Amino acid sequence: MQETVLASRQLRAIAFSQNDLPALQALHGDPEVNRYLDGDASAWDPARLASRLVDYVTGHALQGFGMWKILSREGEFVGRAGFQPFEETSEIEMEIVIAREHWGKGYARELAPALVRWFFDNTYYSHLISFARSDHTRARRVLELAGMTFRERRRIRDMPRDIYQVLSPAMCRLVANG
């Protein structure tokens, strides 16, 4: 059994392996899942998925954080979640992608605060960002419940996105002390 990187009440995050391409293909073969990620809701190209999987497999070792496979308590693939650099600003972005058959179970709401805690417990970054499509009310609410606040609205990946951020506990103390 692979080592758990992060655990919550119902879920656990483990590192991806090269054998996880079929799970990613199923996740990103669903246009309903992709419509919240890209301007184009079509299935992700196999080459794109293979490239992403390489990044997911090597990310944690190279950066100290990465994108992880999310499993239910019973070991069922639920989706992916974790962190990646946002190329436009070099900030670190948190992303949660849940397979459609697991929507409505509260998994994203459970994962988001656990990811935020993990990030600040295990890195030295001053803040963390996340994106939600501007019309995706549930995703925005999940980020708010995780302690993130709205920062700005920008066009990213051909869609209007709301950028949320949360400061590290150390930055919050610094800001509070003026």
Side-chain angles (χ1 to χ4, degrees):
M1 187 158 120
Q2 287 185 292
E3 180 181 338
T4 298
V5 177
L6 175 147
S8 64
R9 189 172 53 80
Q10 302 178 82
L11 304 168
R12 64 187 179 98
I14 64 171
F16 273 102
S17 75
Q18 289 298 333
N19 298 329
D20 291 321
L21 189 56
L24 281 178
Q25 287 172 324
L27 178 67
H28 291 293
D30 185 341
E32 283 300 301
V33 170
N34 294 338
R35 77 184 175 111
Y36 294 107
L37 302 173
D38 295 324
D40 177 11
S42 62
W44 284 12
D45 176 87
R48 177 182 184 185
L49 281 169
S51 173
R52 286 285 179 96
L53 183 57
V54 169
D55 292 343
Y56 298 164
V57 169
T58 60
H60 190 91
L62 295 173
Q63 303 166 136
F65 57 83
M67 193 63 60
W68 302 305
K69 179 170 53 173
I70 304 301
L71 303 174
S72 69
R73 205 176 317 140
E74 296 77 27
E76 184 179 2
F77 179 77
V78 169
R80 64 177 178 83
F83 313 99
Q84 58 197 3
F86 177 52
E87 290 181 12
E88 287 184 28
T89 63
S90 298
E91 295 170 289
I92 305 304
E93 167 195 1
M94 177 180 78
E95 187 173 52
I96 299 170
V97 180
I98 304 293
R100 186 168 21 154
E101 62 267 21
H102 296 289
W103 289 359
K105 297 179 181 179
Y107 289 161
R109 185 176 298 155
E110 182 177 322
L111 271 174
L115 286 164
V116 168
R117 276 191 306 277
W118 185 97
F119 185 77
F120 291 124
D121 286 348
N122 292 279
T123 74
Y124 295 102
Y125 287 90
S126 63
H127 70 286
L128 176 65
I129 64 171
S130 192
F131 307 122
R133 251 178 59 163
S134 298
D135 63 346
H136 194 350
T137 307
R138 286 184 175 174
R140 292 187 358 249
R141 184 70 182 136
V142 163
L143 297 176
E144 291 165 358
L145 289 170
M148 301 185 103
T149 56
F150 175 80
R151 184 173 88 184
E152 66 183 295
R153 181 167 286 167
R154 288 177 51 183
R155 193 157 192 83
I156 300 170
R157 299 180 200 130
D158 296 325
M159 287 201 273
R161 305 265 183 161
D162 289 346
I163 301 175
Y164 283 78
Q165 80 173 17
V166 61
L167 298 177
S168 71
M171 280 300 281
C172 287
R173 286 190 297 277
L174 183 64
V175 169
N177 292 328

